[in-house]
Amino acid sequence: MKSRFEQRVIKLSILITSPLLILLIGIITYTEINNETSKVKRSLSEVALEISNTKFVKDSIINGNFNLQKYAEIFVDNNQDVDIVVIADKNKRRFSHLDTSKIGEIFGTKDSEEVFKNKKGYFIITKGSQGLTYRRFEPIIRNKEIIGFVMVGKLFNIFRHTIFLILLKILLLAFVSSSFIFISSRVFAKKIKKEMLNLEPEEITNLYVNTKSLVQQQAAIIDNIHEGVVVLNSSLEIININKKVFEILHEFDIQLFIKRFYDIFYEKKNVYFKEIKIGHEKVFVSIIHLLEDENHLGVIITFYKHLEIINLAKELTSINNVITGFRENNHEFKNQLQVISGLIQLKKYDLVQEYMKNLENSSMKILTEIANISDYYILGILIGKFSVIKEKGINFTIDQDSILFKEHGFITSLDIITIVSNLLENAIEALEKIKIDDKKIELLLLEDNDSIQITVFDNGLKVDPNIKNKMFERYVSSKGTNRGIGLALVKSKIELYNGQFLLEEVDYGKYFTIILNKENKDV
């Protein structure tokens, strides 16, 4: 059963093509009949002229010899467009006729009168003794005098048969054309219907309206998300982007963004909270590929305001540092109280006094080393690290030439903490793997208007030669599986600030140096 859409396409196709088909049939019919008529007229004219100019015919008429019948029959027999040949003298006596019994009789119609008046040939359609005839009259002239005429005719009943055959052929053509239009329009309709997933136009309209409403709802939801969201299709073309993107990023070009992170997009890697610079803006970005049964459906890119993430991280870091500091200082304070309590019980009051003085000198030493560090977040982490490192039997010192401002321009305190903490952790682990008496870690922090230098020295194990060239890659570590995150984070900060990394290994230890550029420059 044909669908409504299929029926409409067929009807519309027939409606459109029918006038053209009728016009075409009319043109063909007119042309065919006109060609056939012209052919008949041409044949009649040629035969009439030939007979009227024949000397034998003229002599027979002058001499009154009624011997032209066989001569006339030759033209009838040899020319399918000629059915009648009548030759008559000026008195209209017939010298030839289709009906031989009429030879010698007077030409009965008045059609021949014009030939004597105008002395020239002409065509006429008239009814004679043989029926309706298409006739050509031609005068027979001798010495400029009309001595008779010749009438050559085509019977209309035979002519109609020819026209009937023409019309039959045209009707056949019309039938074939109509059938072709019907079949082709049906095939065309089926193909379109298949492309439309066998849905009727009304169903597509309803689907479009519902989808449009759903898309508008989705767009409203995306626009109200606090983060900047960009949705790409599988061809990495934007299909949705919310207003927040342009609030977070004043300059955003998706093609440049894809080109910059080519490997992430074309290798379908997921990225979470990667810190990057776009133009003059520093942001965090997550890139999530949408996959279903290994088919790539698209990508969701989420941009987060850098300041909001940093402030949140600062708050968390600050709280964590305070808690860690309290825990470590509480543990150390308990140990110190136990030492003092034991010395008092032993009545070693002079040792108690000496121990208290050493504690005071140790605290003064720490305060002296961090005197030029004005960033409270950095101070918090360093004070906490002092206790941790000391408990491990490692001598930790901060170079007294260190200087660090309270604010660092484009560089955040959290990023400095990330670098310092990870370098110190690496140094601690390098020292834990060896047995020496004088374990030491030294930290140097230098800041000026252009850059920040962070240098950590330790006299622990040297860097494993097998990983030296790839130690910044994620999960590459000599410490075992599921490790190697710290230096990967350090590398991301070096890239973020267009910085440098230097590793200097000497006989007595190794120096890790990181230099960060404070200039806000996209790289």
Side-chain angles (χ1 to χ4, degrees):
M1 182 178 178
K2 291 191 284 290
S3 68
R4 287 174 295 167
F5 174 74
E6 187 179 335
Q7 291 174 348
R8 278 181 283 181
V9 170
I10 292 172
K11 289 177 182 177
L12 186 61
S13 300
I14 293 173
L15 186 65
I16 292 172
T17 56
S18 291
L20 296 175
L21 185 59
I22 292 169
L23 179 62
L24 180 62
I25 290 171
I27 292 171
I28 293 173
T29 303
Y30 172 80
T31 304
E32 288 285 338
I33 293 175
N34 189 58
N35 289 342
E36 185 64 26
T37 303
S38 298
K39 176 174 166 288
V40 170
K41 289 174 72 174
R42 187 168 56 252
S43 296
L44 296 177
S45 293
E46 290 172 354
V47 171
L49 282 170
E50 184 177 348
I51 294 173
S52 65
N53 290 320
T54 302
K55 183 176 181 299
F56 168 69
V57 173
K58 293 178 181 180
D59 290 343
S60 295
I61 291 174
I62 293 295
N63 297 324
N65 295 326
F66 292 88
N67 57 353
L68 296 178
Q69 179 63 26
K70 291 190 179 297
Y71 174 74
E73 289 176 354
I74 293 172
F75 290 97
V76 175
D77 295 339
N78 295 331
N79 195 320
Q80 63 179 3
D81 293 327
V82 177
D83 297 323
I84 303 171
V85 175
V86 176
I87 302 172
D89 62 13
K90 62 182 179 181
N91 295 318
K92 301 185 180 180
R93 285 186 305 166
R94 298 186 180 103
F95 281 73
S96 69
H97 196 274
L98 185 62
D99 183 359
T100 55
S101 65
K102 294 188 180 295
I103 296 174
E105 293 182 1
I106 301 299
F107 194 84
T109 64
K110 296 180 179 181
D111 301 336
S112 60
E113 292 178 357
E114 289 294 323
V115 79
F116 295 104
K117 289 180 182 179
N118 299 323
K119 296 183 180 180
K120 61 180 181 180
Y122 58 91
F123 286 99
I124 192 170
I125 298 174
T126 188
K127 188 174 182 180
S129 60
Q130 300 297 319
L132 196 62
T133 313
Y134 195 66
R135 300 179 176 184
R136 171 72 184 188
F137 285 87
E138 200 69 41
I140 301 173
I141 300 173
R142 185 170 184 177
N143 297 328
K144 298 182 180 180
E145 182 183 351
I146 296 178
I147 62 172
F149 65 88
V150 59
M151 185 276 289
V152 182
K154 175 76 173 174
L155 292 173
F156 245 92
N157 58 346
I158 300 174
F159 192 42
R160 276 199 300 266
H161 178 69
T162 304
I163 293 173
F164 174 75
L165 291 177
I166 292 172
L167 292 175
L168 187 63
K169 184 171 67 174
I170 289 170
L171 287 173
L172 181 62
L173 175 64
F175 174 76
V176 172
S177 301
S178 300
S179 300
F180 174 76
I181 291 169
F182 177 80
I183 294 170
S184 59
S185 60
R186 187 172 182 182
V187 171
F188 179 67
K190 284 183 178 295
K191 187 174 182 181
I192 293 177
K193 189 76 180 291
K194 187 178 180 182
E195 294 290 333
M196 298 191 306
L197 305 176
N198 291 319
L199 296 174
E200 291 290 327
E202 294 83 0
E203 294 173 323
I204 293 174
T205 302
N206 293 333
L207 184 63
Y208 170 76
V209 170
N210 295 334
T211 304
K212 185 178 180 181
S213 175
L214 182 60
V215 169
Q216 288 173 340
Q217 292 175 16
Q218 290 175 343
I221 292 170
I222 289 176
D223 269 337
N224 283 283
I225 293 175
H226 186 65
E227 291 76 25
V229 178
V230 181
V231 183
L232 307 180
N233 60 18
S234 57
S235 301
L236 301 183
E237 298 168 336
I238 293 177
I239 57 174
N240 213 330
I241 183 169
N242 69 355
K243 298 174 184 177
K244 204 71 179 179
V245 171
F246 301 102
E247 292 180 17
I248 297 173
L249 301 169
H250 302 296
E251 300 174 10
F252 179 67
D253 185 323
I254 187 62
Q255 296 305 322
L256 291 178
F257 185 79
I258 292 172
K259 185 177 180 181
R260 180 176 172 184
F261 299 102
Y262 180 89
D263 59 328
I264 293 174
F265 284 98
Y266 289 93
E267 294 178 18
K268 299 178 179 60
K269 298 178 181 177
N270 288 338
V271 172
Y272 302 92
F273 288 94
K274 182 178 178 65
E275 193 173 9
I276 62 171
K277 280 195 288 181
I278 298 178
H280 296 291
E281 305 294 333
K282 190 158 59 169
V283 296
F284 287 90
V285 63
S286 292
I287 302 173
I288 310 299
H289 291 268
L290 304 176
L291 300 172
E292 183 179 28
D293 297 330
E294 298 184 357
N295 293 322
H296 189 247
L297 304 179
V299 184
I300 295 179
I301 307 170
T302 308
F303 295 99
Y304 306 87
K305 282 186 177 180
H306 187 268
L307 185 60
E308 291 181 1
I309 299 296
I310 292 302
N311 287 341
L312 179 61
K314 279 184 177 180
E315 290 178 16
L316 293 174
T317 303
S318 178
I319 293 169
N320 185 60
N321 286 339
V322 169
I323 293 170
T324 301
F326 274 127
R327 185 184 295 118
E328 291 166 350
N329 289 331
N330 182 49
H331 179 70
E332 187 175 0
F333 185 62
K334 283 181 179 179
N335 290 337
Q336 292 167 356
L337 286 178
Q338 288 172 358
V339 172
I340 293 170
S341 175
L343 290 173
I344 291 174
Q345 290 178 15
L346 294 171
K347 298 182 180 181
K348 301 290 183 178
Y349 302 115
D350 54 337
L351 292 178
V352 171
Q353 186 176 5
E354 183 181 350
Y355 183 72
M356 293 289 288
K357 188 173 182 180
N358 287 336
L359 287 177
E360 182 181 0
N361 290 337
S362 176
S363 299
M364 288 300 298
K365 178 176 177 292
I366 294 173
L367 292 174
T368 302
E369 289 179 353
I370 62 175
N372 291 323
I373 297 175
S374 304
D375 187 325
Y376 293 113
Y377 294 104
I378 308 298
L379 283 173
I381 194 71
L382 290 178
I383 291 172
K385 290 293 182 184
F386 265 112
S387 299
V388 173
I389 294 172
K390 185 178 179 181
E391 275 195 355
K392 295 180 180 292
I394 302 170
N395 182 27
F396 177 41
T397 59
I398 299 175
D399 195 304
Q400 292 189 15
D401 292 331
S402 293
I403 181 170
L404 204 63
F405 304 155
K406 185 176 182 180
E407 300 290 339
H408 318 287
F410 198 58
I411 301 174
T412 65
S413 299
L414 184 62
D415 289 340
I416 298 173
I417 289 171
T418 298
I419 295 171
V420 171
S421 296
N422 281 291
L423 291 183
L424 289 177
E425 287 297 326
N426 278 5
I428 292 169
E429 290 184 2
L431 287 165
E432 286 178 334
K433 292 180 179 180
I434 61 171
K435 294 182 180 180
I436 56 174
D437 294 332
D438 185 21
K439 296 181 179 181
K440 63 175 69 172
I441 295 176
E442 297 174 1
L443 172 65
L444 172 64
L445 300 171
L446 294 175
E447 182 175 3
D448 57 26
N449 293 329
D450 299 319
S451 64
I452 296 175
Q453 176 184 326
I454 303 166
T455 299
V456 174
F457 167 80
D458 72 80
N459 60 346
L461 286 178
K462 301 290 179 68
V463 178
D464 186 346
N466 294 323
I467 66 168
K468 185 177 290 187
N469 294 329
K470 52 181 180 179
M471 60 184 175
F472 283 111
E473 294 180 16
R474 190 175 288 266
Y475 305 124
V476 173
S477 174
S478 60
K479 305 165 192 172
T481 57
N482 298 321
R483 303 294 299 273
I485 302 295
L487 286 181
L489 290 173
V490 172
K491 180 189 176 185
S492 70
K493 304 307 176 185
I494 295 171
E495 291 175 345
L496 182 65
Y497 297 110
N498 195 20
Q500 301 176 56
F501 164 75
L502 300 172
L503 170 62
E504 182 183 0
E505 293 186 302
V506 292
D507 293 339
Y508 51 88
K510 59 182 180 293
Y511 292 88
F512 279 92
T513 299
I514 307 294
I515 298 174
L516 306 178
N517 290 317
K518 294 172 70 175
E519 183 181 357
N520 179 8
K521 183 168 62 177
D522 195 14
V523 294

